[in-house]
Amino acid sequence: MAGKRERGCIRTDILPSQMKQDKADVDKIVETTNSMINPFEYEEEELLHITSGTVATEEVEKDLQSAYDRGEAAFIAICKERLQTREVDLLTTMKKLKLKTFTSMSKTTKSKVHGKEVSLKADRNLLARLDVIGHIRKVDLQELLSYSLGPVPLALCTPLGCLVKTNKAKMLYSLESQPEKAIVEIPRGGIFVVDSMAKIEKVDVKKLPGERTFLNLAHVLLRRIVNLARGNGSNEIHFVEDTYRDQSIKNAERAKRAVGVRR
């Protein structure tokens, strides 16, 4: 028919890009499986977690091995007390056995950091477990301990997840410790940068000529800055002020202080 062309049918699963992606997915599965402990090859007596390689304590091992028997005994006791003898009401809350598992080995404790409670997880014999895991998975323990143990580096965030405030004075100390390569003379005709807050704080309001108004203060500052720029031969002045961005450490600190005031 006129205007019709034969359209070939190409299966997407045989395209080179799809085949490459499938191979990468298979490699990830194989890598994950190989990183786990093979229960058919492990010959030690300790009870290990099959994925993490964590060694179970004696209490955890005992509870895990007797979990089925204790659960069956609890079921028989409930049926006898609530259905046969009716010594206990059927709708009474059942008590948990509270068996110890691998999760119980990581206890959450509360610690106060700068007056605030922070949840901390303390593992018993953590270094020994890391040594066992590193030996089984063939991981260099020295390289493993070089990474941060927390969810975020403490140099960037606090334990509560807030951004860490920096001390601007440390930058000044770092610059002063550098070899002296300072420019002796400021090149004439350069840009004259003025720190607005530092300049305003140096103004003595009581000694202002004329009236004590914001307009007069602005005129005095403008004359001083222009005279300084002319003395250096600068034709361009940058009057740098403090900025308060919505997404910044300063704004987050102000919001936190405001919440504290309302309390």
Side-chain angles (χ1 to χ4, degrees):
M1 296 177 65
K4 285 288 187 178
R5 293 184 302 175
E6 294 184 359
R7 301 176 61 183
C9 181
I10 301 177
R11 297 179 60 87
T12 57
D13 54 352
I14 61 174
L15 293 176
S17 59
Q18 185 63 38
M19 295 173 64
K20 184 178 180 181
Q21 181 64 35
D22 293 342
K23 185 179 182 303
D25 295 339
V26 173
D27 292 341
K28 290 181 180 179
I29 295 175
V30 173
E31 182 181 358
T32 303
T33 306
N34 291 334
S35 64
M36 298 181 182
I37 298 175
N38 190 348
F40 301 101
E41 296 180 356
Y42 185 74
E43 298 179 355
E44 301 294 335
E45 296 182 358
E46 295 87 354
L47 181 62
L48 300 182
H49 197 282
I50 192 171
T51 56
S52 64
T54 305
V55 182
T57 60
E58 183 178 355
E59 186 178 6
V60 172
E61 184 176 355
K62 180 180 179 181
D63 287 351
L64 290 178
Q65 291 178 351
S66 61
Y68 180 82
D69 296 335
R70 294 178 64 178
E72 187 175 3
F75 172 72
I76 295 174
I78 290 174
C79 293
K80 183 178 180 180
E81 295 174 355
R82 305 190 183 208
L83 299 178
Q84 296 178 359
T85 62
R86 299 183 182 273
E87 296 177 358
V88 182
D89 186 26
L90 181 62
L91 301 180
T92 303
T93 304
M94 292 184 294
K95 296 182 179 180
K96 294 183 179 180
L97 296 178
K98 297 182 179 181
L99 301 179
K100 301 294 183 180
T101 61
F102 284 98
T103 306
S104 306
M105 297 171 59
S106 178
K107 296 182 179 179
T108 303
T109 58
K110 294 289 185 179
S111 178
K112 286 191 175 182
V113 179
H114 300 294
K116 298 180 180 179
E117 288 190 353
V118 181
S119 297
L120 301 175
K121 288 187 176 181
D123 289 338
R124 183 182 179 185
N125 300 328
L126 177 59
L127 185 60
R129 294 195 183 99
L130 289 177
D131 190 15
V132 173
I133 296 172
H135 178 70
I136 295 176
R137 297 190 178 183
K138 298 180 180 180
V139 178
D140 187 4
L141 188 60
Q142 184 175 0
E143 181 182 359
L144 179 65
L145 294 177
S146 64
Y147 296 95
S148 175
L149 298 179
V152 292
L154 295 180
L156 300 178
C157 298
T158 62
L160 297 178
C162 301
L163 294 176
V164 174
K165 296 183 295 182
T166 57
N167 187 0
K168 292 184 289 186
K170 292 184 178 180
M171 182 178 180
L172 178 61
Y173 299 149
S174 177
L175 293 176
E176 291 178 347
S177 63
Q178 299 296 326
E180 295 184 1
K181 294 183 180 179
I183 301 176
V184 179
E185 295 183 0
I186 300 176
R188 301 185 65 82
I191 299 175
F192 192 76
V193 182
V194 181
D195 186 351
S196 61
M197 295 303 298
K199 202 66 179 176
I200 293 174
E201 290 176 356
K202 288 184 178 180
V203 177
D204 190 355
V205 181
K206 296 181 180 180
K207 297 181 180 180
L208 280 178
E211 299 179 356
R212 297 181 183 178
T213 60
F214 287 104
L215 180 60
N216 190 24
L217 175 62
H219 288 164
V220 172
L221 285 174
L222 181 60
R223 285 196 298 267
R224 292 182 181 180
I225 294 172
V226 171
N227 292 334
L228 288 174
R230 287 178 178 176
N232 293 320
S234 301
N235 297 324
E236 184 176 351
I237 301 174
H238 287 187
F239 191 70
V240 182
E241 300 177 352
D242 290 350
T243 57
Y244 299 93
R245 302 178 182 272
D246 294 336
Q247 296 182 358
S248 62
I249 299 177
K250 184 181 289 293
N251 192 37
E253 184 68 18
R254 293 175 64 193
K256 185 171 64 174
R257 291 177 180 176
V259 173
V261 171
R262 285 197 295 268
R263 289 181 180 177

